[in-house]
Amino acid sequence: MSTTIDAKSILHERVVVRIQNESIDSLERYSLENIIQEEIENAFPLIDDLSNKELFNSMLSDVSGYGLLDIYLGDTSINEIMINSSTKMFIDRKGKIEEIELKTSSEELVRIVQKIASDVGARFDAASPIVDAWLKDGSRLHGVMPPIAPDGPYITIRKFVERSLDIDQFFPTTLQKKLLEDAVMQSKNIVVAGGTSSGKTTLLNTLIHLIPSQERVVSIEETAELDTNHEHFVRLVARTSNSEGAGTISMGDLVKASLRMRPDRIVVGEVR
């Protein structure tokens, strides 16, 4: 027996019900592994060892991680993940696009995005078919699904790549470097603009790094993308509406809130 989409769908439902009924934390790996193995044996008593192992690993990744995405999220050579359908995915590996064949279902893709979205208080369904969310490592996810994407869902993940916060990485001239450093030290207003993947966020992180540590920095973002080790840094992130259509907090709302937080600097992340 080979691992099939139907088998995974059946098992996923059973395992989730067991976890909820037995109040098992998905991070309690030993208990989770036992539940998955028991459900595989109950559902497919004649399964061979190879298929058992394949199905077990796939289910464990689904429940405790992000399923089929885990292997690509853990690959440091990949910069971006683009899923066009349940059978086709593209990855950007060090600037080169590669096509990868998938064997999954639209339902499983939606479930993965819903899991990521729920971690940041967002939703992803027919009523809210667009979502922007972020993973724990700072990677940014964008997902769209029907009805606005009839052939979807489509998923794009821009992975967070930890880079040096040295302004010399941008190869500035002596004059350009001094101009930027002076602008930061003199608290000038600075606008960072550029195309996709041109390094806007990396440059902004680098400029934040130049701000004196005793100054209070408040960032405002639509999705959490900035990553800095500045000692006096606090982050505000906008929020979409909940399932009842309430609770929206816009970037404008956060600007007002930030003014009451005694900021020395206000940094507004990417404005779309």
Side-chain angles (χ1 to χ4, degrees):
M1 174 184 174
S2 62
T3 301
T4 66
I5 294 172
D6 288 341
K8 285 187 62 179
S9 179
I10 293 170
L11 278 174
H12 188 276
E13 185 175 346
R14 291 186 177 185
V15 170
V16 169
V17 170
R18 283 277 305 274
I19 291 173
Q20 292 173 341
N21 289 343
E22 299 179 24
S23 300
I24 298 295
D25 189 322
S26 62
L27 296 180
E28 294 178 13
R29 191 177 183 90
Y30 179 75
S31 299
L32 185 57
E33 289 177 351
N34 285 342
I35 287 177
I36 292 174
Q37 188 57 54
E38 288 174 8
E39 290 303 327
I40 291 176
E41 293 172 356
N42 290 338
F44 310 104
L46 301 180
I47 190 171
D48 61 80
D49 291 343
L50 181 61
S51 296
N52 186 316
K53 183 177 181 180
E54 180 184 352
L55 191 53
F56 175 87
N57 289 336
S58 180
M59 280 305 307
L60 184 61
S61 180
D62 277 354
V63 178
S64 63
Y66 298 125
L68 62 91
L69 291 179
D70 281 347
I71 187 172
Y72 304 104
L73 291 172
D75 189 335
T76 57
S77 68
I78 296 175
N79 301 322
E80 197 151 7
I81 300 168
M82 299 155 279
I83 299 179
N84 288 8
S85 71
S86 59
T87 60
K88 185 178 294 186
M89 176 174 76
F90 295 88
I91 60 172
D92 177 344
R93 191 190 301 274
K94 298 182 178 179
K96 294 183 178 181
I97 303 299
E98 301 176 16
E99 182 176 346
I100 295 177
E101 181 182 357
L102 290 181
K103 293 181 180 179
T104 184
S105 66
S106 296
E107 292 75 19
E108 183 175 0
L109 292 175
V110 169
R111 188 167 62 241
I112 292 172
V113 176
Q114 287 175 333
K115 183 175 183 179
I116 295 173
S118 66
D119 289 342
V120 297
R123 54 183 289 197
F124 187 59
D125 51 36
S128 298
I130 304 175
V131 68
D132 285 296
W134 58 95
L135 283 67
K136 293 179 181 179
D137 67 353
S139 297
R140 185 182 71 201
L141 173 141
H142 177 77
V144 293
M145 66 176 291
I148 66 166
D151 301 321
Y154 304 136
I155 303 170
T156 308
I157 298 177
R158 173 78 58 79
K159 291 181 62 181
F160 171 73
V161 180
E162 192 169 341
R163 294 187 174 94
S164 166
L165 295 178
D166 188 343
I167 199 168
D168 288 327
Q169 68 179 303
F170 297 97
F171 304 105
T173 64
T174 301
L175 179 59
Q176 290 171 334
K177 181 177 180 179
K178 187 175 188 309
L179 179 65
L180 285 173
E181 291 175 339
D182 287 349
V184 172
M185 296 306 295
Q186 295 173 24
S187 300
K188 300 292 185 181
N189 293 327
I190 301 174
V191 176
V192 178
T196 302
S197 298
S198 60
K200 301 183 297 296
T201 301
T202 302
L203 176 56
L204 191 52
N205 275 327
T206 304
L207 295 178
I208 294 173
H209 184 65
L210 296 177
I211 297 174
S213 60
Q214 70 272 17
E215 294 192 20
R216 183 172 173 83
V217 181
V218 180
S219 76
I220 299 168
E221 301 176 81
E222 190 174 64
T223 58
E225 296 177 297
L226 295 174
D227 181 70
T228 176
N229 57 5
H230 191 280
E231 294 181 10
H232 208 347
F233 178 83
V234 293
R235 183 199 309 274
L236 301 177
V237 179
R239 186 179 70 186
T240 56
S241 59
N242 59 23
S243 57
E244 287 76 39
T248 300
I249 299 177
S250 68
M251 292 182 72
D253 295 329
L254 297 181
V255 170
K256 295 177 184 177
S258 70
L259 295 174
R260 297 180 175 90
M261 298 174 68
R262 199 229 172 261
D264 292 300
R265 312 285 184 114
I266 295 177
V267 178
V268 179
E270 187 167 353
V271 179
R272 300 174 177 86

